[in-house]
Amino acid sequence: RHTRRPINNRTRRGSMAALPTEEEAKAALQGGADSWRNLVLRALAFGTEYHVVVTQQQAASSSGDLRGRLPSRAEEAANLLATSLEGYIAQIHHEAPQDTAFSIQDQMKSDPVINATVESLWTVGCLVSSEDESKPPTEGGAGGGDQSPKQISNDCLVTIIRELARPRTAQQSNQMDTTDDSSPPPNNLPLIPTSLLQTSLELQLLEQVGMLPKAIPLKKKNPNQPDKTPASDAVRRLRKLNTDLYYRQNKFNLLAEESEGYAKLLNYLIVGIRDGGVTAPGAVRHVTELIGAFDLDPNRVLDLSLDVLECSLRDAVRSGEARSFADVRKGGEDEWGISHLRSSL
């Protein structure tokens, strides 16, 4: 039999969520990603009371009460999640081959339990975030006296994320329960990979946690222009990156920049069309495929095509099939090689 923690009257009333026990956390880890996600949401509800704040059950006058009890509850929830994840990661490290710590971090990025934790943090972060949160939270998770209940809940969520993203030392890893003969996880690694948090959480929340690089200061044309924040700078970089990926086309104009593509193009124009017996639609399709495969400049392709056409016409006129202008009167335009010129065109 396991002894349960006493539940106070306020927990029974339903206005506050109860913190899950360590036995419940271990059972949730063994039950899979869905059961662990439900437990993480229960722990976040205990540490942030997002379910109460979002439903507007907390009045503005209760901000002082929230500020007094939520920081300590957030620390308890963070300690529970950190202790459970430490044991889970130690088990992964014990079962995995003895490779580098980098391979373990890659395995954690695709682990369903770790991803369920990040998804729960993102869900609660979207619920408690507000547009007027311009000041970063303090280290202790509590802000100033003029904060709204949603802002206080958001600060407690930041405290929990910081605890889960903080690198673990060997002393902290040895404090967990190792009765299952599992070796501790690698040293100086966070419980949740930083890159996974950076690609999953919102930019505003990442800025408050401190996971965004500092914004590059620029010269202000207007003295009243506000300073750039890490979130706004990240939005600008992402917008530029998306433009380069999806809207900007790389075109190589010089033959030396894409020698293989232009060599195949000239070989097809000079030899393929003349000896291959291809049709005009087939030639257009093949040239278009070469442009797309090697990022050739369409204007330069047109210029080379005209050069090849000019050489073909010159060869046709100078060949033995072309007669003198005086012989045209005898047999008409075919005597001068007009049909050969049309095939070249």
Side-chain angles (χ1 to χ4, degrees), residues 10-191:
R10 290 189 298 179
T11 304
R12 286 196 176 95
R13 286 189 312 222
S15 61
M16 298 182 186
L19 181 66
T21 61
E22 295 183 0
E23 290 77 10
E24 292 176 342
K26 293 180 180 179
L29 287 173
Q30 296 176 359
D34 293 336
S35 59
W36 173 252
R37 182 183 293 106
N38 295 332
L39 185 135
V40 172
L41 291 176
R42 287 175 53 192
L44 294 178
F46 176 83
T48 63
E49 295 190 16
Y50 70 91
H51 60 297
V52 180
V53 173
V54 172
T55 55
Q56 302 296 329
Q57 295 181 9
Q58 289 283 357
S61 59
S62 62
S63 299
D65 189 15
L66 285 175
R67 198 179 304 110
R69 69 171 181 268
L70 276 189
S72 59
R73 293 163 65 95
E75 292 180 358
E76 295 180 18
N79 292 333
L80 173 67
L81 296 178
T83 304
S84 302
L85 288 178
E86 281 179 359
Y88 179 76
I89 296 173
Q91 183 180 0
I92 294 178
H93 177 61
H94 179 70
E95 296 176 355
Q98 297 298 326
D99 295 336
T100 59
F102 181 77
S103 61
I104 297 178
Q105 286 286 293
D106 289 343
Q107 184 178 357
M108 290 171 58
K109 292 179 183 179
S110 59
D111 186 81
V113 172
I114 302 297
N115 282 273
T117 306
V118 177
E119 291 173 3
S120 302
L121 295 174
W122 174 80
T123 302
V124 177
C126 293
L127 292 175
V128 300
S129 63
S130 59
E131 297 296 335
D132 55 349
E133 292 175 353
S134 58
K135 297 181 180 180
T138 58
E139 293 294 334
D146 56 347
Q147 283 187 314
S148 63
K150 183 176 288 190
Q151 290 174 337
I152 297 175
S153 179
N154 182 81
D155 292 350
C156 294
L157 177 64
V158 170
T159 301
I160 297 175
I161 297 176
R162 284 176 178 172
E163 179 65 22
L164 297 178
R166 181 169 53 86
R168 256 48 185 181
T169 60
Q171 295 180 355
Q172 294 172 342
S173 299
N174 292 333
Q175 292 177 0
M176 62 183 179
D177 186 12
T178 57
T179 55
D180 55 350
D181 298 333
S182 60
S183 58
N187 194 12
N188 295 329
L189 291 180
L191 297 176

